[in-house]
Amino acid sequence: MDLISLSPFDLTLAALLVVALAGVTVWARMGLGRSLLIAGARTVIQLLLVGLILQTLFDHAQLGWVALMAVVMLAVAGYEVMARQQRRFAGLWGYGIGTVTMFISAFAVTVLALTTMVGPTPWWEPQYAIPLLGMLLGNTMTGIALGLDRLTQTVWRERRTIEGRLAMGAPWSEAVTTMRREAARSGLMPTINAMAAAGIVSLPGMMTGQILAGAPPVEAVKYQILIMFLITAGTGFGTLGAVWFASRRLFDTRERLRLDRLKAGRHA
Amino acid sequence: MDRLLDVRQLKTAHLGPLDLAVQPGELVQITGASGSGKSLLLRALADLDPNAGAVTLNGEPRDSIPPVEWRRRVAYVPAETAWWGERVDEHLPADFARPKALHLLEQVALPEESLRWEIERLSSGEKQRLGLVRALMNQPRVLLLDEPTANLDLENTKRIERAVRAYLAEEEAAALWVSHDTLQRQRLGGRILTIRDGQLEAPAWT
């Protein structure tokens, strides 16, 4: 591997670019300088921290530590899904629906990929398991958050239509068909777009990273294809599952639309 | 006499507990100040809002009837009807009988072609008349009518009144009719109940 190590000086130069940009926005009174600097500082601290954690994890490769890391990642992703909802389910459901479906889809796909496709020994080798899980969780999180947000928003907006259909004797599943379809679409669209644009509009980040690290382009491409399919499957099944569970939860056993189970989130 | 709809100790978040018994063929008018819960009563009876109490239809307890079936038999027609498809006939029951539809359309003075009309181009009065026809296609035993003539002129209002009366007589069905219009109240006749403080009572003027 002919990886060129970056010196602190290299990073400082790059940081100066951001500082320069912040300076320009302050000069132009755009009010972005502070946010830029804080976000920049967060990047440095968070990434250094995660780098240290990963280094420690790689040095003490034990299943328990890998599992703990995975659980922490899942917990944070679950919180992110909930926090991005304008209208979310009250109580534990608000956190539970996203987290559980993410656990089922992202973890299942990661374990499947590790045991059957990538095949490191042991299968939970942190160098493979953690980045793979991270990419899957990150994308599944976005898909589920978009899907759930769209579902609750459209159901709220279209409640008269839904109740009109219920009043005509339609089952709950029929009354929310269009909202469900729209929600699944909006959750899956980013992934479908990414697959369609891959390599033409953008060089995917993971592939770029591997090439920079000295991997032969064809090897990097093979990994990228694998990852894209895994992400699509994870995001897709996760979003479909979350939208299904959430739409079921919007109706009770007598198939009544229960908008009282939703509450306004922080952006509403 | 047999009770078609029997309601005992009905309670919702804002109403009750209240009792109500309706006979076959009967039309009961529901009045009350705005915000008194007239629509909430109809919604609870259609089982669209959470509610507790013993409700039976022809002696059959509501809990033993699947919700989908219940709402076909106890049909709620809101003041503002909802439409989700592109054309009128997409909103009718999938297996609707054409002669029956034509008979109902005729009663509310709409032509056969109205089944193929685009929703976008319907007037509010047409929506209201078609909304009633749509609900009657399910052959409900009880009609819950929430100001069904709010958007109509006098001529069409009277058509709706006659159509509902005819339906109740033909099918031995019953209706709860929410109305604000004093003249309509006199035309419709029958029993009048007022909602006050979440309770049903006979109105002060009778």
Side-chain angles (χ1 to χ4, degrees):
Chain A
M1 292 259 263
D2 42 0
L3 177 63
I4 303 169
S5 184
L6 294 175
S7 68
F9 177 70
D10 302 329
L11 295 182
T12 311
L13 270 183
L16 280 179
L17 288 176
V18 178
V19 173
L21 177 64
V24 171
T25 61
V26 168
W27 174 74
R29 295 171 199 275
M30 290 192 292
L32 286 170
R34 217 179 121 81
S35 320
L36 265 173
L37 291 180
I38 290 177
R42 280 190 63 167
T43 302
V44 174
I45 296 167
Q46 287 167 198
L47 288 183
L48 278 179
L49 216 61
V50 97
L52 284 174
I53 293 173
L54 286 180
Q55 188 65 55
T56 320
L57 199 62
F58 289 3
D59 293 343
H60 307 85
Q62 280 174 352
L63 180 56
W65 288 117
V66 177
L68 180 67
M69 178 82 184
V71 168
V72 171
M73 288 162 71
L74 176 69
V76 175
Y79 177 81
E80 279 297 317
V81 166
M82 183 181 71
R84 290 188 203 176
Q85 308 298 312
Q86 277 197 28
R87 296 180 194 284
R88 59 173 183 247
F89 286 92
L92 263 184
W93 289 91
Y95 187 73
I97 289 180
T99 312
V100 168
T101 46
M102 215 160 26
F103 173 71
I104 295 172
S105 63
F107 276 57
V109 170
T110 306
V111 170
L112 182 78
L114 285 171
T115 51
T116 65
M117 300 168 208
V118 184
T121 10
W123 66 267
W124 43 267
E125 172 75 51
Q127 186 196 339
Y128 291 92
I130 296 298
L132 214 56
L133 183 64
M135 279 188 284
L136 271 157
L137 270 181
N139 286 280
T140 311
M141 177 183 85
T142 308
I144 290 178
L146 285 172
L148 285 181
D149 194 44
R150 177 60 68 91
L151 179 77
T152 50
Q153 294 280 25
T154 45
V155 166
W156 184 274
R157 205 178 55 221
E158 302 277 331
R159 54 187 183 272
R160 272 188 350 97
T161 309
I162 295 173
E163 291 197 322
R165 299 187 84 152
L166 291 178
M168 277 296 290
W172 72 272
S173 51
E174 202 180 302
V176 286
T177 315
T178 47
M179 298 86 198
R180 214 142 66 165
R181 196 182 305 145
E182 226 182 279
R185 224 184 120 75
S186 108
L188 272 169
M189 251 323 143
T191 315
I192 294 173
N193 286 340
M195 278 206 294
I200 302 174
V201 183
S202 65
L203 285 181
M206 191 203 71
M207 186 179 120
T208 317
Q210 280 193 318
I211 292 173
L212 281 175
V218 175
E219 287 306 311
V221 163
K222 285 197 286 191
Y223 260 94
Q224 189 63 52
I225 292 173
L226 177 79
I227 289 296
M228 284 222 143
F229 288 169
L230 296 182
I231 284 176
T232 307
T235 311
F237 287 121
T239 306
L240 294 184
V243 167
W244 196 91
F245 278 121
S247 55
R248 184 69 193 90
R249 176 71 192 153
L250 284 169
F251 295 85
D252 62 17
T253 49
R254 292 293 295 176
E255 304 197 21
R256 295 180 279 235
L257 178 63
R258 297 295 299 273
L259 288 173
D260 55 318
R261 289 177 176 176
L262 294 177
K263 62 172 187 177
R266 62 180 180 194
H267 302 299
Chain B
M1 220 197 318
D2 292 343
R3 284 171 169 178
L4 177 58
L5 182 72
D6 191 39
V7 180
R8 286 187 199 174
Q9 296 292 300
L10 182 80
K11 255 190 89 63
T12 75
H14 305 282
L15 292 178
L18 53 84
D19 295 347
L20 175 68
V22 185
Q23 320 298 334
E26 194 182 6
L27 189 156
V28 180
Q29 297 193 53
I30 309 285
T31 64
S34 92
S36 59
K38 302 184 291 294
S39 300
L40 292 178
L41 173 66
L42 300 193
R43 287 173 57 89
L45 292 175
D47 212 5
L48 286 167
D49 283 337
N51 64 92
V55 183
T56 58
L57 184 69
N58 279 327
E60 242 185 299
R62 182 175 61 187
D63 292 344
S64 68
I65 302 175
V68 165
E69 190 52 40
W70 178 267
R71 294 188 192 116
R72 284 181 189 157
R73 294 193 211 167
V74 181
Y76 174 59
V77 185
E80 296 271 326
T81 49
W83 303 84
W84 47 89
E86 310 231 316
R87 291 189 332 182
V88 171
D89 52 6
E90 292 167 43
H91 301 81
L92 299 180
D95 53 350
F96 79 93
R98 204 164 181 85
K100 186 160 179 55
L102 298 186
H103 172 64
L104 290 168
L105 285 172
E106 201 185 320
Q107 288 187 313
V108 294
L110 284 168
E112 183 177 356
E113 297 89 75
S114 63
L115 290 178
R116 289 188 300 277
W117 283 352
E118 287 173 39
I119 301 300
E120 293 259 325
R121 302 176 64 169
L122 295 180
S123 71
S124 55
E126 284 163 348
K127 277 186 185 163
Q128 212 157 20
R129 285 183 283 162
L130 286 164
L132 179 71
V133 168
R134 171 175 76 175
L136 293 180
M137 294 299 296
N138 273 334
Q139 288 188 279
R141 305 298 304 132
V142 177
L143 272 171
L144 306 170
L145 304 168
D146 197 346
E147 300 193 47
T149 57
N151 294 315
L152 298 177
D153 56 26
L154 186 60
E155 195 182 348
N156 279 312
T157 298
K158 286 180 173 170
R159 280 198 182 109
I160 291 255
E161 290 168 6
R162 280 198 299 270
V164 170
R165 276 288 187 204
Y167 180 83
L168 299 188
E170 280 167 29
E171 303 280 337
E172 290 255 285
L176 298 189
W177 188 312
V178 169
S179 172
H180 279 304
D181 180 349
T182 323
L183 289 171
Q184 178 167 59
R185 216 174 276 152
Q186 289 164 4
R187 279 197 306 272
L188 285 173
R191 192 148 57 107
I192 300 179
L193 295 171
T194 302
I195 301 187
R196 188 174 299 131
D197 300 328
Q199 300 293 325
L200 274 176
E201 49 191 56
W205 68 79
T206 56

